[in-house]
Amino acid sequence: GGNNGSHGLDSSSILDVRPSNVPGAGLGLFYAGSEPLRKGTVLGSYPGVVIPLPQNLDKLRTYPQCEGYTWRFGDNQFVIDPTDSQGNIQCTVGGGNPSTLGSRLLFSTLLGWWQVPTTLCRINEPPKGFDVNVVTDEDSQHRCVVFSLERDVYPGEEFYIDYGPSYDRSGYGGP
């Protein structure tokens, strides 16, 4: 249950979390730089704790809101969970496996410095009429997901990805 997630960019200065342009989506992630970001730029990898899917099911039942942020690999064997012990997103996520006694405590105390930003968890699907500008590359062997730009992105633009065919969109609003 190590910590997954790194940024390809100095994200603190050019990525901005603020209310999304997607109706009902809450927060979104925007490009706050002054020059266009070029196609192929790596934003980073999806942050969180990599754990076997069966170990995440109790948390999903208890805190269903965490499902919207949990990345499930295409093979349905593992997930990346960026949420805290109550299934909520904080500014950073540490390591540790909730199914291993003392693991979360170890990471929050002795290894408290090992935290990564959860910024990339704020990327939404585009609203109707908009297209994705971020693509994901899932590496099942190393259990990481890299986010990169599908096209040039300009200052002030919101980042959008496709959540994939298995994502539950029943909670989406709209006509």
Side-chain angles (χ1 to χ4, degrees), residues 43-67:
L43 297 178
S45 58
Y46 200 75
V49 181
V50 178
I51 53 176
L53 176 62
Q55 291 182 19
N56 194 247
L57 295 177
D58 283 342
K59 184 177 181 182
L60 286 170
R61 279 191 285 275
T62 308
Y63 305 106
Q65 75 274 18
C66 77
E67 186 166 18

Side-chain angles (χ1 to χ4, degrees), residues 92-145:
T92 60
V93 62
N97 184 329
S99 298
T100 305
L101 188 64
S103 176
R104 289 272 195 180
L105 181 64
L106 172 69
F107 276 90
S108 65
T109 55
L110 295 177
L111 299 175
W113 52 269
W114 200 25
Q115 299 278 318
V116 295
T118 56
T119 316
L120 292 179
C121 298
R122 299 296 186 182
I123 300 179
N124 293 306
E125 281 198 308
K128 282 190 167 72
F130 287 79
D131 203 359
V132 300
N133 50 20
V134 175
V135 290
T136 59
D137 182 24
E138 201 173 273
D139 181 343
S140 302
Q141 184 180 353
H142 296 101
R143 294 297 171 189
C144 69
V145 181

